[in-house]
Amino acid sequence: MIRRPPRSTLFPYTTLFRSGEHAIDYQNVAQKEKLTELQLRVRQLLDQVEQITKEQNYQRYREERFRQTSESTNSRVLWWSTSQTVILVVMGFWQMRHLKSFFEAKKLV
């Protein structure tokens, strides 16, 4: 038996979001504020510089968070490997002592 999805998912749709300097209609801005072509271009460049600055700040923030995560992970790995080494050495000594006492009890040594 073939199951069909509900009818509501049979109609695909697409949504377009514009952000940053692409969301601004500069032709309308030029008409409303009566800007010359040069003034309009300067405004576009200023908006682009502002977007670039925002993106750089965001990337710096992400880099800082990634560095904190990496350092935290590295310290945890260090402690985990150190604790495993200590446990391994302690178990080795315990096994040697236990085997020595076992062989002494059986009078093999």
Side-chain angles (χ1 to χ4, degrees):
M1 178 175 169
I2 298 175
R3 292 190 54 147
R4 301 185 129 249
R7 281 199 162 282
S8 62
T9 61
L10 292 177
F11 301 106
Y13 61 91
T14 303
T15 306
L16 177 64
F17 293 97
R18 292 184 177 209
S19 65
E21 76 270 359
H22 302 294
I24 300 171
D25 185 13
Y26 287 104
Q27 296 305 322
N28 286 339
V29 172
Q31 289 174 356
K32 287 180 183 177
E33 297 181 17
K34 297 183 176 140
L35 298 175
T36 64
E37 188 67 31
L38 181 61
Q39 290 172 331
L40 181 63
R41 186 65 182 140
V42 168
R43 176 162 298 176
Q44 287 175 339
L45 289 174
L46 287 174
D47 289 344
Q48 286 177 351
V49 167
E50 184 179 336
Q51 283 300 115
I52 290 169
T53 304
K54 286 180 182 178
E55 183 68 25
Q56 284 178 336
N57 288 336
Y58 176 68
Q59 291 299 330
R60 283 187 188 116
Y61 169 75
R62 287 189 60 193
E63 181 182 5
E64 181 182 342
R65 290 284 299 153
F66 180 72
R67 183 171 181 86
Q68 289 173 354
T69 303
S70 296
E71 288 177 357
S72 172
T73 303
N74 286 340
S75 67
R76 289 178 184 173
V77 167
L78 175 69
W79 282 109
W80 178 253
S81 62
T82 304
S83 63
Q84 281 184 328
T85 303
V86 167
I87 290 172
L88 183 66
V89 168
V90 168
M91 290 300 291
F93 281 123
W94 179 78
Q95 285 178 352
M96 287 190 321
R97 185 174 172 182
H98 182 70
L99 283 174
K100 183 179 177 186
S101 66
F102 173 77
F103 286 134
E104 288 174 350
K106 293 288 184 176
K107 297 181 182 176
L108 294 173
V109 177

